[in-house]
Amino acid sequence: MSDCNNDTTTHGASKPGTEEVKSNSEESSMAQESPKNSAAEIPVTSNGEVDDSHEHGFNRDLKRSLPAGLGLSETQITSHGFDSTKEGVIEAGAFQGGQRTQTKGGPVILADEIKNPAMEKLELVRKWSLNTYKCTRQIISEKLGRGSRTVDLELEAQIDILRDNKKKYENILRLAQTLSTQLFQMVHTQRQLGDAFADLSLKSLELHEEFGYNADTQKLLAKNGETLLGAINFFIASVNTLVNKTIEDTLMTVKQYESARIEYDAYRTDLEELNLGPRDANTLPKIEQSQHLFQAHKEKYDKMRNDVSIKLKFLEENKVKVLHNQLVLFHNAIAAYFAGNQKQLEQTLKQFHIKLKTPGVDAPSWLEEQ
């Protein structure tokens, strides 16, 4: 009996051990089956590639289930196999929605819009640089005596005369301005001297008549000096307009004509050099382009030459008319002033419609004019 009890006890004690072995074996078998199951869940195509259609479907379902506030970014879930150390990695990128296919063409159009103005500016800079180089080369070659220049003898002579006359007119203008300043000071001194004589004639009874004569004389001279000063200032204003506006405008056209002449000679020289060289498939397009540019600059040169000729003609007519009147005015005013002929001096100013401003008297208001 004791033996049986011992056996029973031994058998009963071995059952928990057997159950522990079974549980351990089940856990190891489950651990071995888990990677197999995860590997078995990955679909494989006929070519041996992984089919990720289920993954994209899951991503699409996940994006649909996201709230509207999370629509600013696109969430992508990437699953890895059993060999990877990362599982369930979530990648977030900029959400573009259904415009993903349109982003390919958008940047190209924007790039073209930005590129075209830049290319146009570069082309303008290239043309300007080429034209400047050719004109500079032409100027240097002319100064060194190596290059030829187009000369219109008649027109060049008229331009030289105009520039020389401008210098002489500027000298006359400067001297007339000096005379006006000195005459103004003299008139101011005569007026003060006349006031001093008039004051002394009232205080000195013995020399009352003598001081009175001198006071009247100085006041008369000051009045005539103001009249002459008005004529001289009118002469200065007219000559200044002729020199610094009319003649200067014509000289600006002359400068444009000279620039057109330099460009014309530069492209003419370039065309002559190309014509002296060989003619083949490479040089013929360059010759045709040079011929086209030469013709364009020739037309510009001819136009500017005609403009200068017309302006010089009208300037000569205007100059003769203006200077004739101003010289007559200047002569008559100076002669009448130093002759003491006050009536002739006033008549001269009326002849040329010159109005003098009375010192110390303000201009009339618009009510008085009406």
Side-chain angles (χ1 to χ4, degrees):
M1 291 296 290
S2 60
D3 295 336
C4 292
N5 292 329
N6 293 331
D7 294 337
T8 305
T9 303
T10 304
H11 181 69
S14 63
K15 285 182 179 180
T18 305
E19 290 176 357
E20 291 178 358
V21 172
K22 287 182 180 180
S23 63
N24 292 332
S25 63
E26 288 177 357
E27 291 177 358
S28 62
S29 63
M30 290 175 66
Q32 291 176 0
E33 289 176 358
S34 61
K36 293 180 181 180
N37 293 333
S38 61
E41 290 176 358
I42 301 174
V44 179
T45 61
S46 61
N47 295 328
E49 299 177 352
V50 179
D51 186 5
D52 56 352
S53 60
H54 297 286
E55 180 182 348
H56 292 299
F58 177 71
N59 293 336
R60 183 171 60 253
D61 295 337
L62 179 60
K63 286 189 288 184
R64 291 178 180 176
S65 64
L66 288 175
L70 298 177
L72 298 175
S73 62
E74 179 184 6
T75 305
Q76 180 180 0
I77 298 178
T78 307
S79 62
H80 301 278
F82 62 89
D83 293 334
S84 176
T85 59
K86 298 181 181 179
E87 295 182 3
V89 179
I90 299 177
E91 298 178 356
F95 178 73
Q96 297 177 356
Q99 297 179 355
R100 180 179 297 176
T101 57
Q102 298 178 0
T103 56
K104 296 181 180 179
V108 175
I109 297 174
L110 293 175
D112 291 340
E113 292 178 355
I114 297 174
K115 185 177 179 181
N116 287 335
M119 293 300 296
E120 291 178 359
K121 291 181 179 179
L122 288 176
E123 183 66 19
L124 291 175
V125 171
R126 187 188 69 83
K127 291 181 179 179
W128 175 83
S129 301
L130 183 60
N131 186 68
T132 304
Y133 164 73
K134 290 184 177 182
C135 293
T136 305
R137 185 183 62 179
Q138 177 66 25
I139 293 172
I140 294 174
S141 63
E142 289 179 3
K143 290 184 177 180
L144 296 177
R146 298 178 181 177
S148 60
R149 63 188 298 263
T150 304
V151 179
D152 189 336
L153 296 177
E154 183 179 357
L155 189 61
E156 293 290 338
Q158 293 178 3
I159 293 173
D160 292 338
I161 293 173
L162 175 63
R163 286 175 174 165
D164 185 62
N165 288 337
K166 183 176 183 292
K167 293 180 181 179
K168 295 178 180 179
Y169 295 155
E170 287 174 346
N171 185 37
I172 291 175
L173 185 61
R174 185 166 52 253
L175 294 174
Q177 289 173 348
T178 304
L179 177 62
S180 175
T181 303
Q182 294 174 351
L183 181 61
F184 175 79
Q185 294 175 354
M186 186 182 71
V187 169
H188 181 67
T189 304
Q190 288 174 344
R191 188 181 299 110
Q192 290 180 342
L193 188 59
D195 293 338
F197 284 148
D199 183 60
L200 289 173
S201 67
L202 296 176
K203 295 180 180 180
S204 299
L205 298 177
E206 300 84 1
L207 301 174
H208 172 73
E209 294 183 358
E210 289 79 359
F211 280 122
Y213 294 153
N214 283 278
D216 294 339
T217 302
Q218 294 300 323
K219 290 180 180 180
L220 181 61
L221 289 175
K223 182 179 179 182
N224 293 339
E226 291 174 357
T227 306
L228 176 62
L229 189 62
I232 293 176
N233 289 335
F234 185 78
F235 172 81
I236 291 173
S238 300
V239 175
N240 182 63
T241 302
L242 175 65
V243 173
N244 295 323
K245 291 186 178 180
T246 309
I247 295 180
E248 188 64 27
D249 178 70
T250 305
L251 290 178
M252 288 296 296
T253 308
V254 170
K255 290 180 181 179
Q256 295 176 1
Y257 157 74
E258 291 176 347
S259 298
R261 197 273 307 165
I262 292 174
E263 292 179 355
Y264 165 71
D265 285 337
Y267 284 92
R268 176 182 57 80
T269 303
D270 192 15
L271 179 61
E272 290 175 356
E273 292 177 356
L274 290 175
N275 288 330
L276 293 176
R279 292 177 175 269
D280 52 17
N282 295 327
T283 58
L284 284 178
K286 295 181 180 180
I287 294 175
E288 292 179 358
Q289 183 181 6
S290 180
Q291 180 68 33
H292 176 71
L293 294 174
F294 165 75
Q295 189 65 29
H297 285 86
K298 184 177 183 301
E299 293 176 358
K300 181 181 178 181
Y301 167 73
D302 293 337
K303 179 180 178 300
M304 293 305 303
R305 183 176 59 182
N306 293 331
D307 292 345
V308 171
S309 300
I310 293 172
K311 281 201 171 186
L312 286 175
K313 180 180 179 180
F314 283 111
L315 175 63
E316 186 65 23
E317 295 176 357
N318 187 28
K319 181 189 70 174
V320 170
K321 181 179 179 180
V322 170
L323 288 181
H324 171 75
N325 294 332
Q326 296 305 316
L327 291 174
V328 170
L329 166 66
F330 191 83
H331 172 266
N332 293 341
I334 292 291
Y337 172 78
F338 285 99
N341 193 346
Q342 182 181 0
K343 294 183 179 179
Q344 181 66 29
L345 185 60
E346 293 177 353
Q347 185 65 29
T348 302
L349 268 64
K350 291 181 180 179
Q351 179 182 356
F352 292 94
H353 307 286
I354 301 174
K355 295 181 180 180
L356 297 178
K357 294 182 179 179
T358 305
V361 178
D362 297 334
S365 64
W366 62 276
L367 290 174
E368 294 176 353
E369 291 179 354
Q370 291 181 353

